[in-house]
Amino acid sequence: MAYKAIIAGASGLVGSSLLNILLQQPEYNEVVVLVRKDLPLSHKKLVQAIVDFDRLDQYQHIINGHALFCCLGTTRHKTLDMADYRRVEFDYPVQLAKLALDNQVIQYHLVSSMGANVNASSFMYYTKLKGEVEQAIEHIALPCLQIYRPSLLTGERNENRPEERVATGIMKLVDPLLIGPLKRYKSIPAQTVAMAMYKQSLQSKEGVFIHPSDHIKQLA
C-alpha cells in the first residue's frame, strides 16, 4: 500500500531528515509539507503547502492521509515573545492533532524532548511545556500517537544556533563517559530520530507510545 504523509516542521533538523527519508521510500507515494515558504527542493512525491499556522483550520482539506509527523519547534533566542513561543511549541501541534483526528489520520508522530513533564515544580519551562503538549495531544485520543523524546539533537542545521553548536561540542567529549544508566543522556543524531519515526509509521499499532532517547536509537 502506498501512503500519504504530512510533515509540519520539514525545514528543521529532524523534519528535513525525515522528509529526505520519506521521499526515498517506496511505502510513501505522497509527502505533503506544511511550510511558511517554499523549500529549495523538488521531487515527484513532494507537495509543498504554504500555510499560515495561525489559521490551520483553513488547510484542513490537505491534512489527511496515513501519518502526520509534527517536528515543529523554535528556540527562546529566535522567538523572544513568550506568547509566540508557546504558540509554536504548544498551539500548533495541538491544533494539528485535532485536525488529524477530524480527518481520520491514522497516526500522529510528535517530536518532544527528553525530560518532558507537566510537573508544576519543574524548573525548566521548556520541558514542562513539552509535557503539556504531550498531555494535551494524548487527550485528543488519536488512534495511534507516537511520542519521541530525544536528548540533544546533532546534525547540520539550516540556521545558525551558536548555543547548540557549543552544546554539541561538549557532548562529543561527554558522550563516551555516559555508560550504564547514563547512556540515555547521550546526544542523538537527528537522522536517527527521523529513521525511527519512518520505521514506526510502518507498524500497525493503536494507542500511545513514548520513546525515550536510548530507545529511539534501537528503533532506527
Side-chain angles (χ1 to χ4, degrees):
M1 178 180 291
Y3 294 134
K4 173 185 175 181
I6 308 101
I7 304 177
S11 63
L13 194 56
V14 175
S16 59
S17 295
L18 178 63
L19 175 58
N20 289 330
I21 290 171
L22 296 186
L23 291 178
Q24 296 170 21
Q25 301 305 321
E27 294 91 353
Y28 285 90
N29 68 346
E30 183 178 1
V31 182
V32 177
V33 293
L34 309 179
V35 291
R36 296 184 188 277
K37 60 182 180 179
D38 278 328
L39 301 177
L41 179 65
S42 178
H43 193 282
K44 62 182 181 181
K45 294 183 182 181
L46 178 62
V47 177
Q48 302 205 42
I50 309 300
V51 304
D52 178 350
F53 282 89
D54 290 321
R55 295 175 173 81
L56 283 170
D57 285 341
Q58 296 181 5
Y59 311 95
Q60 182 168 359
H61 61 286
I62 60 175
I63 302 175
N64 54 61
H66 174 69
L68 192 155
F69 300 91
C70 184
C71 310
L72 291 170
T74 185
T75 64
R76 293 290 292 114
H77 174 76
K78 185 177 178 180
T79 311
L80 297 177
D81 185 271
M82 291 298 290
D84 291 340
Y85 183 78
R86 184 177 178 86
R87 188 156 50 246
V88 174
E89 294 282 350
F90 183 90
D91 294 351
Y92 298 164
V94 172
Q95 182 64 17
L96 284 169
K98 292 177 180 177
L99 295 174
L101 180 67
D102 290 343
N103 282 4
Q104 299 180 326
V105 174
I106 298 171
Q107 299 182 5
Y108 188 101
H109 297 256
L110 174 70
V111 179
S112 183
S113 172
M114 172 177 280
N117 69 84
V118 293
N119 189 337
S121 65
S122 174
F123 65 93
M124 289 188 65
Y125 177 77
Y126 177 75
T127 54
K128 180 181 178 183
L129 182 57
K130 287 295 187 182
E132 291 175 356
V133 174
E134 290 184 8
Q135 185 179 76
I137 295 177
E138 186 173 346
H139 286 165
I140 293 171
L142 292 145
C144 177
L145 171 61
Q146 306 237 18
I147 297 171
Y148 304 82
R149 293 177 175 175
S151 55
L152 178 69
L153 292 165
T154 60
E156 293 297 322
R157 292 188 180 273
N158 296 324
E159 58 183 336
N160 184 29
R161 292 190 181 184
E163 299 90 346
E164 292 186 7
R165 284 207 311 274
V166 171
T168 299
I170 294 173
M171 290 307 296
K172 286 182 179 179
L173 301 175
V174 174
D175 277 346
L177 306 177
L178 300 176
I179 58 176
L182 297 177
K183 68 180 181 180
R184 62 193 178 109
Y185 296 106
K186 288 185 177 182
S187 60
I188 183 170
Q191 178 76 13
T192 300
V193 179
M195 183 58 71
M197 296 173 77
Y198 155 66
K199 289 185 176 181
Q200 286 302 107
S201 75
L202 303 182
Q203 303 296 315
S204 180
K205 294 181 176 180
E206 291 186 2
V208 179
F209 304 88
I210 297 177
H211 308 295
S213 198
D214 52 340
H215 185 227
I216 293 173
K217 293 177 181 178
Q218 297 173 22
L219 295 177

